[in-house]
Amino acid sequence: MSPVVKRIAVNGTLAAIFLAVLGYFIANIAVMFLPAAVPGTEDVAPPDDDLAATMKVRLPLTLAVWGFGFVAVGELILWAVRGNRPPAVGATQAELDANERIIQELLAKADAEERAKTGDGAKRSGHRDLGGESREVVILPDEPKPADPSKAP
């Protein structure tokens, strides 16, 4: 399935459902105001049941069809202007590992230069020792739980 057809199907269906629900509520509100005063008298005309039933069906369907059509035309225009661009490809895991290795080497070199300048013999070797990001999972031992006072002898 083409990406533009998939976008039209998903977005058009969502728009059609939303507008059909909205049309249902609008039709019910319109049916409440359907009985109108007969011109020239104080009498109120009985509501036309056929008109009310037709309105409750046609209004939601019309809004849904127009909404789907609007989304379809909009997506086709966007496709004509932008075309189908391939998705952006990120770095592979091997590239990320190589970058991590290079960063570690640079940090170790900078740390060694700093120790040589200051004469400090600190054993810090990288950004993880200085509070940087770490991928390692550290499991801390559980603290002893206090005795339950309700079970006292």
Side-chain angles (χ1 to χ4, degrees):
M1 177 182 277
S2 172
V4 70
V5 173
K6 186 176 181 181
R7 284 195 316 264
I8 289 172
V10 171
N11 296 336
T13 302
L14 290 175
I17 290 171
F18 174 75
L19 288 173
V21 170
L22 186 67
Y24 173 76
F25 289 126
I26 291 172
N28 282 327
I29 291 171
V31 167
M32 286 189 324
F33 293 104
L34 194 59
V38 176
T41 66
E42 298 293 323
D43 296 335
V44 175
D48 187 1
D49 291 334
D50 292 335
L51 178 62
T54 303
M55 190 182 302
K56 285 183 178 182
V57 172
R58 280 192 181 176
L59 188 62
L61 286 178
T62 303
L63 284 177
V65 168
W66 276 100
F68 188 89
F70 182 79
V71 169
V73 168
E75 289 290 346
L76 288 173
I77 290 172
L78 285 176
W79 175 73
V81 171
R82 291 189 291 185
N84 277 337
R85 295 181 185 159
V89 179
T92 63
Q93 188 62 35
E95 291 172 342
L96 292 176
D97 291 341
N99 291 341
E100 179 76 19
R101 183 181 44 80
I102 291 170
I103 290 171
Q104 289 296 328
E105 290 172 3
L106 290 173
L107 286 172
K109 183 178 177 182
D111 194 36
E113 288 176 2
E114 175 131 357
R115 275 189 272 135
K117 285 181 185 177
T118 61
D120 187 15
K123 295 183 179 179
R124 294 186 174 193
S125 63
H127 75 288
R128 290 185 181 156
D129 294 331
L130 299 173
E133 179 185 349
S134 174
R135 294 183 185 169
E136 300 169 2
V137 177
V138 178
I139 300 174
L140 300 174
D142 292 335
E143 294 182 18
K145 296 179 183 175
D148 190 8
S150 64
K151 295 184 180 179

